[in-house]
Amino acid sequence: MKKRNLLANFLIVSVSLFMPFFEKVKANNANHYMELGNKKMSKNENFYGAKKALLDFDKAIEIDHLHEGSYVSRCYAKYLLKEYYSAISDCNMALKISTNIDNKIGAYVNRGISKMKLGDMSGACSDWRQAAYLGDDKSKNWVRQDC
């Protein structure tokens, strides 16, 4: 009986000690798949590159459903695939969970260009204004030229 309690206590302590390690491994795996997808997009920033990268972004989000960078990247891939409503949905999720300013800017920019493609210039301008407010120069130019 004492051996069983000792073993149970050992397991509880072991799990609590290694939990941060497992969380890092989980995040690193999601980062790995996001980086794979981003490399595919940078090599071939068109329909075919986006199609290939989308699987990596899906895998990253499957590993960590709160991986904000993967939502931003997947949003852009879906924009390239002309899946504008789905792109907007991913950008919405990225904005909801994002703590990183660059991810917020990316989500606003990507959501804005998707809205523009759907004919919602008012919504696009609103998103670009948000991105410009956060410091994105490209969005400042779009606001000046198109809004």
Side-chain angles (χ1 to χ4, degrees):
M1 191 66 152
K2 285 185 179 184
K3 285 184 181 179
R4 187 180 298 162
N5 286 340
L6 186 61
L7 181 60
N9 286 338
F10 173 76
L11 289 174
I12 290 169
V13 169
S14 296
V15 167
S16 65
L17 287 174
F18 287 105
M19 192 58 82
F21 170 76
F22 292 125
E23 288 300 315
K24 276 189 175 181
V25 168
K26 176 180 156 185
N28 287 339
N29 284 338
N31 284 336
H32 171 74
Y33 283 102
M34 182 187 73
E35 288 169 12
L36 280 177
N38 285 337
K39 284 179 186 174
K40 290 174 184 173
M41 293 278 290
S42 67
K43 285 182 185 176
N44 207 3
E45 196 170 329
N46 59 27
F47 179 87
Y48 299 105
K51 197 77 167 162
K52 290 177 183 178
L54 198 59
L55 297 173
D56 293 320
F57 301 139
D58 288 344
K59 183 67 176 175
I61 291 167
E62 179 184 316
I63 291 168
D64 181 358
H65 70 281
L66 297 176
H67 197 262
E68 58 190 76
S70 294
Y71 281 103
V72 175
S73 295
R74 190 169 76 171
C75 170
Y76 185 66
K78 288 180 177 179
Y79 158 77
L80 291 175
L81 294 169
K82 299 181 181 184
E83 298 175 12
Y84 304 124
Y85 290 106
S86 188
I88 290 169
S89 178
D90 277 347
C91 286
N92 289 342
M93 182 61 171
L95 288 167
K96 181 178 176 183
I97 64 174
S98 185
T99 57
N100 179 296
I101 194 84
D102 292 328
N103 286 335
K104 284 183 183 284
I105 289 170
Y108 279 121
V109 168
N110 293 341
R111 190 171 73 174
I113 59 177
S114 294
K115 286 179 178 179
M116 178 188 69
K117 289 294 187 176
L118 291 169
D120 179 9
M121 277 310 289
S122 174
C125 289
S126 177
D127 284 342
W128 294 336
R129 282 187 188 96
Q130 286 295 324
Y133 175 77
L134 294 173
D136 185 57
D137 291 331
K138 180 172 38 175
S139 295
K140 288 176 187 174
N141 290 334
W142 289 344
V143 167
R144 244 183 271 122
Q145 293 172 351
D146 300 321
C147 300

